[in-house]
Amino acid sequence: MPAVCPCEDISPGTLLASLATLSADVADGCDVDRLPALRGGVGVAVRVAGLLREFLEEVRWAAAAELPGGSVLGMSELHVALQKMRFLLEDCGRKGARMWVLMNAEAVASELRVVLGSVATAMDVLPAGVVAASDDARELAALVSQQAWRAAVRPDEEDSRAARSVRSMLARFRSGATPDAEDARLVLGRVGVASWWDCSQEVSFLEAEMLERLEAGGENDNDLVLISGLMAFLLYCRVVLFDRIDYGKADEPAPAPAPRAASYLARINPEGLQCPITLELMTDPVTLATGQTYDRASIKRWVKSGCRTCPVTGEKLRSADVVPNVAVRGIVEQLLLSSGVSLHEPSSKHRCAVDKTASPFGAAAAGGARLAVAFLVSKLCRGTPEEQKKATYECRKLSKRNVFHRACLVDAGAVPWLLHLLSSPDASVQDNAVAGLLNLSKHPAGRRALVEAGGLGLIVDAVSVAAKVEAQQNAAAILFYLSSDAGYCDEISRIPEAIPTLVRLVREGAYRGRKNALVSLYGVLQRGAGGHGRAVSAGAVAALASLLPGDRDDLANDAVALLARLAEQPAGAAAVLSSSALVTRLVDFLGASASRSAKDHCAALLASLCRHGGDAVVALLGKTPGLMPSLYALIADGGAQGSKKARWLVNEIHRHYEQRQPPVAAPPAGDRVIRV
């Protein structure tokens, strides 16, 4: 309840007008019949807000003269209480939180009773100059106070019955038994979940709630057992009860903001919402210790590249920690909604918390997830084409951000069937199967199951021939996760088409495809044996050279790292040295790059060229303008490995030129001068 107390200097008239607007928002902004629970109690609160609106309008009409200055304090208390009521009612009607509100109806009712008590107390302490503005105002004030004090706010009987039914089904999950489908439909009907899309929103809300708590270190939070149990119940319902995915609802335009919000947004300068690094709209704004706000992904890349200063102020960062800027995100979200665009949750927001989901947080969550997965695998192997299409999509969603779900899918034998569906003529089935395998390849057991099922060749083929570009990119990412194991790297290297396919994706792919291909190639060459020659023969050096310089610094950095890996072998070094223009570009890159790790890789690459190319390469580098200042700067500010390589290069260049200096002849004996 982020209520804000009005400032002390506000005029009574302005505060009264704001109170009238706020009470009207509460009275008119809540559709009681669509709430998942507490319809009776919320109806009472809305009725109190309506009476309060009438009272405030009467005071505004009757108190034509200035209100007494002492009325600000009492009206400020009422303003804070109304804000809390509005926030609480908005939470009760929040999309995706319906099941959560139902299971916490007692706690919500308690909060609502407290808020109504605050309203009644604020009404009782209002100055006489406000309450006695007119006879009607006095009567309305007494009525508001009485209604607020006497409000009986408690969960409805239907709410309690539905909550008991949910707990009963969670108990069946704990014992591994399937719940009654009709009971599940009755509960979903009570809270207003009528479609696959509604159910998916509920799951997304609970998942985000769980990941937020895990991100904050709340692994022992008692609510996690209930959250994960409700997630399992809703996942089971989504998988089993709804046989059609209503994609249409996902594509519906978002509602337009209210008129007041629209006029407010019209005064916003969109340039002020751009990330100072990328100059793109900040969809996940975070604030550094310096007070500057950036998009989370941009500032993370900045810090990860080795930069330790604030991009705007230049101040040295004492800490790389960031804090979400809720205010800016709210403005961005409203700005996008006014254009009919919804703001999706950033995919990397909870990446650290996902690693903490290996535990199901309760037997109910474990049982429900296993039942849902068993149903999906049965549809993958024996379902109709439409059922297989839905099942592959469900596997993709189920495994996206939950380690335990990935383990369940692997244990249930989903990997071989997803590999089988890579040959489906339906492009959507292919796409979902590849994405599901990508999620499962992040789990060690998933990688093992994929290789044991003979899926490496199928994944390599998917990089080239998958119907959708996204599927090709995801297939390349699977090879990256497989490259974390040296044994799998060797197997990938032995597939004749594997490395040439990745090189082709680097050369011809879109940004994400190139990125995935680069990191996959790096992993294969780092741990596998014999891949360097195939990469050079496939034209990897020319493909990587085309990324230097480029519009995307991250691609250029990855390209230099991969060139350094190739140059460790004589064939790779020879391929790089065959282009003098590439060597010059590498020297320029060393001086211009803002990434410490990229500089380190570039120094390692130049050192490998000198070792394999001998004095001729050392002489070439020594004559290249700008190299020596860059090397000295790297010695001073680079990482441990980068400084070591730069120091070695400087010594080699000096050694080469010292050897080429002619020896100085000694002066004749008669010309020697004896110095005292």
Side-chain angles (χ1 to χ4, degrees):
M1 296 185 183
V4 179
C5 187
C7 63
E8 296 177 358
D9 297 333
I10 191 172
S11 67
T14 302
L15 182 54
L16 184 61
S18 178
L19 273 170
T21 301
L22 187 54
S23 61
D25 287 346
V26 175
D28 299 334
C30 182
D31 188 349
V32 176
D33 293 334
R34 298 184 62 131
L35 292 177
L38 289 171
R39 294 170 189 171
V42 172
V44 172
V46 169
R47 186 161 61 249
V48 169
L51 291 171
L52 187 56
R53 175 179 57 185
E54 298 298 327
F55 163 73
L56 294 169
E57 290 295 341
E58 178 64 25
V59 171
R60 291 181 69 186
W61 178 81
E66 286 290 325
L67 290 168
S71 62
V72 169
L73 181 59
M75 288 194 296
S76 294
E77 293 296 325
L78 184 59
H79 198 281
V80 171
L82 274 177
Q83 287 182 68
K84 291 183 176 181
M85 182 185 291
R86 183 181 66 178
F87 290 135
L88 185 57
L89 297 187
E90 286 177 353
D91 281 347
C92 287
R94 179 176 174 179
K95 287 185 177 180
R98 295 175 174 275
M99 190 64 69
W100 185 240
V101 170
L102 172 69
M103 300 305 292
N104 289 277
E106 287 285 358
V108 177
S110 176
E111 294 284 354
L112 193 52
R113 285 194 296 271
V114 171
V115 169
L116 285 169
S118 300
V119 171
T121 302
M123 291 298 299
D124 291 344
V125 299
L126 279 178
V130 177
V131 176
S134 68
D135 292 339
D136 288 344
R138 187 182 298 107
E139 292 177 5
L140 284 168
L143 186 58
V144 170
S145 179
Q146 291 172 6
Q147 291 276 339
W149 279 123
R150 296 176 183 175
V153 181
R154 62 179 63 90
D156 303 335
E157 181 57 34
E158 291 84 355
D159 300 340
S160 301
R161 189 180 301 115
R164 286 195 299 270
S165 182
V166 171
R167 292 190 181 95
S168 174
M169 285 183 278
L170 293 181
R172 292 184 65 83
F173 280 158
R174 281 193 289 273
S175 63
T178 303
D180 184 76
E182 192 57 35
D183 289 345
R185 286 193 175 93
L186 287 173
V187 170
L188 296 180
R190 173 62 187 171
V191 297
V193 175
S195 67
W196 183 94
W197 175 250
D198 294 337
C199 206
S200 189
Q201 281 189 310
E202 296 287 314
V203 173
S204 297
F205 168 80
L206 291 169
E207 184 180 52
E209 191 73 18
M210 180 178 70
L211 293 176
E212 287 282 0
R213 295 177 189 227
L214 291 175
E215 190 84 38
E219 290 90 341
N220 298 320
D221 191 331
N222 292 330
D223 282 342
L224 284 179
V225 175
L226 177 59
I227 292 173
S228 57
L230 293 177
M231 265 184 65
F233 168 69
L234 288 160
L235 280 171
Y236 178 84
C237 292
R238 190 182 75 188
V239 167
V240 176
L241 300 185
F242 299 105
D243 56 1
R244 186 178 64 85
I245 299 177
D246 46 337
Y247 295 101
K249 283 198 173 185
D251 299 328
E252 286 180 1
R260 283 192 302 275
S263 62
Y264 161 72
L265 291 173
R267 299 192 293 271
I268 294 290
N269 179 13
E271 292 184 1
L273 302 176
Q274 293 176 346
C275 175
I277 298 175
T278 63
L279 299 181
E280 296 177 353
L281 192 66
M282 294 183 287
T283 56
D284 187 16
V286 294
T287 302
L288 285 174
T290 60
Q292 299 297 320
T293 298
Y294 305 90
D295 192 74
R296 184 187 298 269
S298 302
I299 194 62
K300 277 193 171 183
R301 282 198 302 268
W302 173 270
V303 173
K304 188 177 179 180
S305 68
C307 300
R308 293 294 185 268
T309 57
C310 176
V312 170
T313 66
E315 297 177 55
K316 188 173 183 178
L317 295 177
R318 298 185 300 275
S319 169
D321 295 339
V322 295
V323 177
N325 193 323
V326 180
V328 172
R329 179 173 169 84
I331 296 172
V332 171
E333 189 168 19
Q334 289 296 322
L335 189 65
L336 293 176
L337 287 175
S338 67
S339 304
V341 179
S342 61
L343 180 59
H344 298 287
E345 285 294 322
S347 60
S348 60
K349 182 178 179 182
H350 300 298
R351 190 165 292 168
C352 295
V354 169
D355 296 335
K356 302 177 182 179
T357 60
S359 166
F361 300 107
R370 291 191 181 105
L371 287 171
V373 165
F375 182 87
L376 285 176
V377 174
S378 70
K379 295 301 179 184
L380 287 175
C381 61
R382 293 187 299 271
T384 65
E386 279 302 313
E387 289 173 338
Q388 289 179 333
K389 183 176 181 178
K390 179 178 183 291
T392 54
Y393 185 71
E394 291 284 10
C395 289
R396 176 180 188 167
K397 286 184 70 68
L398 195 63
S399 58
K400 185 174 182 181
R401 297 200 295 181
N402 193 291
V403 177
F404 179 73
H405 292 166
R406 293 170 188 166
C408 288
L409 284 163
V410 174
D411 292 342
V415 170
W417 292 108
L418 290 173
L419 287 169
H420 171 71
L421 291 172
L422 292 180
S423 59
S424 170
D426 189 323
S428 296
V429 172
Q430 278 187 26
D431 186 29
N432 292 329
V434 172
L437 288 167
L438 171 59
N439 295 332
L440 297 181
S441 70
K442 299 173 185 177
H443 195 285
R447 295 193 288 272
R448 185 168 57 252
L450 193 153
V451 174
E452 290 176 353
L456 280 179
L458 295 174
I459 298 300
V460 171
D461 290 342
V463 177
S464 297
V465 302
K468 291 187 176 182
V469 173
E470 182 183 1
Q472 297 175 9
Q473 296 168 348
N474 286 337
I478 293 173
L479 294 178
F480 163 69
Y481 284 104
L482 291 171
S483 68
S484 61
D485 185 283
Y488 301 157
C489 285
D490 290 338
E491 292 196 38
I492 293 172
S493 298
R494 283 196 290 268
I495 299 175
E497 302 85 5
I499 290 177
T501 297
L502 291 173
V503 171
R504 184 164 57 251
L505 190 58
V506 170
R507 185 168 52 245
E508 302 172 0
Y511 164 72
R512 185 165 166 244
R514 287 180 168 182
K515 181 74 175 178
N516 291 346
L518 284 168
V519 294
S520 298
L521 270 173
Y522 188 87
V524 171
L525 296 181
Q526 183 180 30
R527 298 177 183 89
H532 292 73
R534 286 197 183 93
V536 172
S537 301
V541 171
L544 296 171
S546 66
L547 302 177
L548 295 172
D551 298 332
R552 306 293 302 232
D553 290 342
D554 56 335
L555 292 183
N557 296 344
D558 290 343
V560 169
L562 191 49
L563 283 170
R565 181 64 59 189
L566 288 173
E568 292 174 354
Q569 302 295 326
V576 174
L577 290 171
S578 64
S579 171
S580 58
L582 175 55
V583 176
T584 303
R585 273 187 281 173
L586 289 171
V587 172
D588 294 341
F589 178 87
L590 180 64
S593 177
S595 169
R596 179 186 294 178
S597 61
K599 287 176 178 287
D600 291 350
H601 285 302
C602 193
L605 169 56
L606 295 176
S608 294
L609 296 180
C610 289
R611 276 196 297 270
H612 292 297
D615 287 346
V617 178
V618 174
L620 174 65
L621 292 179
K623 292 185 290 186
T624 304
L627 175 62
M628 297 305 287
S630 299
L631 291 176
Y632 283 122
L634 188 58
I635 292 172
D637 301 326
Q641 288 299 317
S643 297
K644 181 178 178 181
K645 298 293 184 183
R647 193 176 296 109
W648 184 86
L649 282 167
V650 168
N651 290 337
E652 283 296 302
I653 292 172
H654 282 312
R655 178 191 60 78
H656 174 76
Y657 281 98
E658 286 173 0
Q659 290 177 349
R660 294 188 60 187
Q661 294 294 329
V664 179
D671 296 337
R672 291 179 182 173
V673 178
I674 300 176
R675 293 184 176 88
V676 178

